[in-house]
Amino acid sequence: MLRLSKLTDYAVVVLVRLDAGLELQTSPGIAAAIGVPEPTVAKVLKSLSAGGLVTSLRGARGGYRLARALEDIPVGEVIAAMDGPIALAACVDGSATECESLALCPVRGRWDPVNDAIQRALSAISLADMREAAIPAVFRVPHTAELGRSDASRQ
Amino acid sequence: MLRLSKLTDYAVVVLVRLDAGLELQTSPGIAAAIGVPEPTVAKVLKSLSAGGLVTSLRGARGGYRLARALEDIPVGEVIAAMDGPIALAACVDGSATECESLALCPVRGRWDPVNDAIQRALSAISLADMREAAIPAVFRVPHTAELGRSDASRQ
DNA sequence: ACATAACCGGACCGTCGCAGTCCTGATTAG
DNA sequence: CTAATCAGGACTGCGACGGTCCGGTTATGT
């Protein structure tokens, strides 16, 4: 239950990887570093960029960079960037129609306190708290050693 | 975005309705009272019964009853009964294979603190806290008035 | 100026879980 | 025995999600 999308999980891995000390990292480079297909990583980075969690530099020698320190990124914000606004209900979006009839809809505002509680819980945990386990041992070894390998070797 | 299943929302409405003071209520009766199709209500009640939130009496003159007071039912338990164990990850089930390779899987134990926080948040809110808004005004009036609508019309 | 590398913003499709319904038993009151 | 009710499935249509790909834009470096 509360199925967190797999993309969101990747997002955490990607963000932690972005904290590896380098100034700028490319999408293919990150993909190689964390062992996730490049198109998927690209998609994650796009969402994160749209959510303001990373800043991007276009063009050759471009790449991504953390917009803030991991300590200042609550996990709730990552989820919001990937899966949309955090809300625990079936019809919470600000859709105009309001389930056709506001009075009839049994799903109304009731979950607000629950949502607030979850929001608070997710705001209290930062990515720094999840950092340690974020990059599995297998991928933690090739750090700054040679990370432009699998993409640089393609030319 | 943490989509809560619609069934879970119905579950809250049903549970609140079960608190209406009657000793025993049948599935069709509840359906008529809250304005939700009978088969759906039946499904919800089955799940709730399996989760130990309501007790059932089979046979003629049977029905459902709250297993505990609303104050003693945290919303997290309702969610767990309807949507399975509360866990915020893609692969958290106790599946044997563990994503094929435990070492490789980037999704491992990292979300535990987050899950714990959510679990705590959901345990702190009881159904009594959600009672007021649970049954919309429209359905709060016709208590036992004219509920022979959709259940009497079938067969 | 040109080629290259990288991001951007979509469209696209297969898969899977969910909502909702229905059917066939098992159980109990009258 | 009969009727009412719960129990536990099977089944189906739909929509969201994971994952991939493509054309376009921007910037670097020669």
Side-chain angles (χ1 to χ4, degrees), chain A residues 1 8-9 15 18 20 23 32 44 47 65 83 96 109 118 154:
Chain A
M1 115 80 195
T8 305
D9 186 67
L15 285 168
L18 273 177
E23 249 315 298
V44 168
S47 299
R65 185 187 327 172
D83 291 1
I118 291 185
R154 288 186 331 172

Side-chain angles (χ1 to χ4, degrees), chain A residues 91-135:
Chain A
C91 62
V92 268
D93 46 17
S95 70
T97 53
E98 299 274 354
C99 304
E100 298 175 356
S101 168
L102 181 61
L104 265 175
C105 180
V107 189
R108 219 37 251 178
R110 180 154 18 101
W111 290 90
D112 287 356
V114 181
N115 286 333
D116 290 348
I118 291 185
Q119 183 75 54
R120 244 177 290 117
L122 293 183
S123 298
I125 303 180
S126 79
L127 281 190
D129 300 323
M130 307 175 68
R131 176 165 34 195
E132 285 69 27
I135 298 185

Side-chain angles (χ1 to χ4, degrees), chain A residues 1-8 76 78-95 107 115 118-119 122, chain B residues 1-5 88 118:
Chain A
M1 115 80 195
L2 289 191
R3 288 172 39 78
L4 173 65
S5 75
K6 207 185 279 187
L7 276 295
T8 305
V78 181
I79 297 177
M82 300 301 300
D83 291 1
I86 294 179
L88 201 66
C91 62
V92 268
D93 46 17
S95 70
V107 189
N115 286 333
I118 291 185
Q119 183 75 54
L122 293 183
Chain B
M1 65 121 159
L2 292 190
R3 286 173 39 79
L4 173 65
S5 77
L88 201 67
I118 291 184

Side-chain angles (χ1 to χ4, degrees), chain A residues 47-68:
Chain A
S47 299
L48 291 178
S49 177
L53 294 177
V54 304
T55 60
S56 62
L57 242 67
R58 303 182 59 161
R61 308 259 73 188
Y64 292 95
R65 185 187 327 172
L66 283 180
R68 292 171 252 161

Side-chain angles (χ1 to χ4, degrees), chain B residues 44-64:
Chain B
V44 167
L45 282 167
K46 284 174 205 171
S47 298
L48 291 178
S49 177
L53 294 177
V54 303
T55 59
S56 62
L57 242 68
R58 304 179 60 159
R61 308 259 74 188
Y64 292 95

Side-chain angles (χ1 to χ4, degrees), chain B residues 104-145:
Chain B
L104 264 176
C105 179
V107 189
R108 220 37 249 181
R110 179 154 20 101
W111 290 90
D112 287 355
V114 180
N115 287 332
D116 290 348
I118 291 184
Q119 182 75 52
R120 246 178 287 118
L122 293 183
S123 299
I125 303 180
S126 80
L127 282 191
D129 300 325
M130 308 174 67
R131 177 164 34 194
E132 286 68 28
I135 298 184
V138 185
F139 291 111
R140 225 173 293 164
V141 187
H143 221 206
T144 39

